[in-house]
Amino acid sequence: MAAKVVKKGDKWEVLLGGLAYDSFEDESKARRFAKLLEKAEKTIEDIRELAEDIINKLTHEERRFLYEYTNGSIEVEVIP
């Protein structure tokens, strides 16, 4: 999803999906944040696709066990 930067009063807002995500006093900071936000969204989508590919290679029994073991959710920690 593309992030947009728009001027609202004396601030620059970063919009994602039409909703205000954050605002900045400096346009260049807002544009930099929008690019980071887009890259993060792309990275999350890439990880999701890779995880789906791995899960799709599992047998039915392995998938069922994984679902029961994780309660249907796997969390990924991001370490800076």
Side-chain angles (χ1 to χ4, degrees):
M1 186 176 302
K4 292 173 55 175
V5 176
V6 296
K7 179 114 171 132
K8 293 272 182 144
D10 60 344
K11 299 254 183 182
W12 292 91
E13 285 191 350
V14 178
L15 305 176
L16 186 63
L19 299 175
Y21 195 87
D22 207 343
S23 62
F24 299 85
E25 292 183 9
D26 184 76
E27 181 183 9
S28 64
K29 288 181 181 178
R31 293 202 181 281
R32 191 171 342 147
F33 185 82
K35 284 185 180 188
L36 287 172
L37 192 56
E38 287 176 352
K39 188 169 185 170
E41 289 285 323
K42 172 74 171 110
T43 301
I44 291 167
E45 184 59 32
D46 290 348
I47 291 169
R48 184 175 287 121
E49 288 175 7
L50 289 169
E52 286 175 359
D53 289 345
I54 293 168
I55 290 170
N56 286 336
K57 292 177 183 174
L58 298 176
T59 66
H60 177 71
E61 182 181 22
E62 291 168 330
R63 289 171 71 161
R64 189 176 72 235
F65 176 80
L66 181 63
Y67 178 81
E68 291 171 3
Y69 182 75
T70 63
N71 286 327
S73 180
I74 297 174
E75 190 173 309
V76 177
E77 182 178 347
V78 177
I79 301 171

